Amino acid sequence: MIDIYALSKNPLVFQKQRTITSAYIDVSGKMGLAQTVLMVQDNITENFGAMKMDNFVVKEKGGFWVVYKAKFKFFRRPYWRDKVVTTSFPADNQLIRLNENTAITTTDGEPIILAKQEMCCLSFENHRPLRLSSVDFPTEGFPETLDASEFDRFHVMPEEYQEVYQQKVLPQHIDMSHHMNNIEYVKLALNVFGTPDWELCNPATLEIHYLGESKEGQTLRIFRADHSGATYMRILDETDRAVFEMRLRMM
């Protein structure tokens, strides 16, 4: 159990009760994986807004936030109409990087999904990482991390991947950064599975690496590899540059 109500007293924590609506479910009637990433991203965005650290604020200081990596641990998938509590907070400040933790729990604090995202603030001028102190990010008072595990390297050889399909980057894929939204990469990658797979999907872990940016009009190639009991997805642009990779492991 997680003491979500004790956490809510910390000024660095953002907490919100949510309902799993029809917009968040997939064919199984449970919350979909892309929708899980979306819910976590929404809560993180609101967390940064409450701290006065969102992109509108740091833009005035010459920077913008990016997510490099994300990791999700599933205990189960909530069903349509379930009530959940989303709790997000930064767990540290590593000069130029930070780890943002999110727990999706029952209203009693029973873990449903735990998430961790590695983030940094890039300079608008040269797209290089800024020191977090340059945007006045907090330096102390962080709650204890919910997940101390490290992100993995994906040891899959290029020849193990097989191309599944191609997708042109369309206007609806683009966010306020004028690049493809993170959630859209996840959706493209998950399309390597068929509908019957989602009816039976029982995920254990999901790890995501955002490797590059994509712009409107580009054509992306989506690949799949099954390796060591997990499914790996990789997205390349027209120059064969990897812009995204993801691993899904089932229970």
Side-chain angles (χ1 to χ4, degrees):
M1 300 290 285
I2 299 172
D3 192 343
I4 56 176
Y5 297 105
L7 277 172
S8 69
K9 298 175 183 177
N10 187 308
L12 299 182
V13 173
F14 179 83
Q15 192 173 95
K16 186 172 184 176
Q17 182 167 309
R18 301 177 188 268
T19 301
I20 308 303
T21 66
S22 59
Y24 279 92
I25 62 173
D26 62 16
V27 66
S28 69
K30 301 176 184 178
M31 186 158 72
L33 270 65
Q35 293 91 329
T36 299
V37 180
L38 176 61
M39 182 174 286
V40 169
Q41 180 171 288
D42 281 348
N43 217 65
I44 290 172
T45 301
E46 293 188 71
N47 184 197
F48 275 54
M51 291 192 295
K52 305 272 192 286
M53 278 288 124
D54 58 45
N55 269 335
F56 293 103
V57 174
V58 299
K59 182 179 180 180
E60 297 177 359
K61 301 174 183 179
F64 63 100
W65 292 109
V66 294
V67 177
Y68 279 111
K69 297 177 182 178
K71 195 173 191 177
F72 298 78
K73 180 179 180 181
F74 294 82
F75 297 88
R76 61 181 177 86
R77 287 205 289 161
Y79 282 92
W80 173 56
R81 298 177 68 184
D82 279 356
K83 304 289 185 183
V84 300
V85 177
T86 49
T87 305
S88 294
F89 58 87
D92 54 30
N93 177 334
Q94 302 177 35
L95 295 182
I96 63 171
R97 293 184 303 166
L98 66 92
N99 285 302
E100 175 83 1
N101 281 200
T102 300
I104 300 177
T105 67
T106 66
T107 55
D108 294 324
E110 178 189 351
I112 299 173
I113 298 160
L114 297 181
K116 172 182 176 180
Q117 304 218 46
E118 183 178 273
M119 304 175 62
C120 77
C121 195
L122 298 186
S123 165
F124 263 117
E125 184 177 343
N126 56 28
H127 280 213
R128 293 182 178 177
L130 295 171
R131 283 182 174 267
L132 296 180
S133 58
S134 68
V135 295
D136 302 318
F137 195 80
T139 58
E140 58 185 16
F142 306 111
E144 185 176 349
T145 184
L146 299 173
D147 183 1
S149 64
E150 298 294 328
F151 290 98
D152 294 330
R153 296 187 65 180
F154 294 168
H155 299 288
V156 182
M157 300 300 292
E159 58 268 23
E160 295 183 65
Y161 285 98
Q162 294 187 338
E163 184 174 338
V164 179
Y165 74 106
Q166 297 184 7
Q167 175 67 53
K168 184 177 180 180
V169 180
L170 301 172
Q172 290 301 311
H173 296 140
I174 303 299
D175 62 18
M176 62 183 288
S177 70
H178 295 280
H179 297 120
M180 189 163 172
N181 188 280
N182 286 351
I183 304 303
E184 300 300 331
Y185 287 108
V186 176
K187 290 179 180 178
L188 295 187
L190 292 174
N191 282 334
V192 303
F193 294 97
T195 300
D197 296 316
W198 297 121
E199 291 176 335
L200 303 173
C201 178
N202 194 15
T205 60
L206 181 71
E207 184 163 334
I208 302 167
H209 298 170
Y210 299 101
L211 306 176
E213 299 171 337
S214 302
K215 297 182 179 181
E216 182 180 348
Q218 288 184 285
T219 297
L220 303 179
R221 299 161 62 206
I222 296 87
F223 294 78
R224 170 179 176 165
D226 294 292
H227 178 91
S228 299
T231 299
Y232 291 77
M233 291 135 276
R234 202 161 191 248
I235 300 179
L236 306 182
D237 67 12
E238 298 133 321
T239 66
D240 287 335
R241 176 181 63 115
V243 296
F244 177 89
E245 60 183 9
M246 183 167 77
R247 180 186 64 199
L248 174 62
R249 193 178 299 278
M250 301 292 187
M251 290 184 183

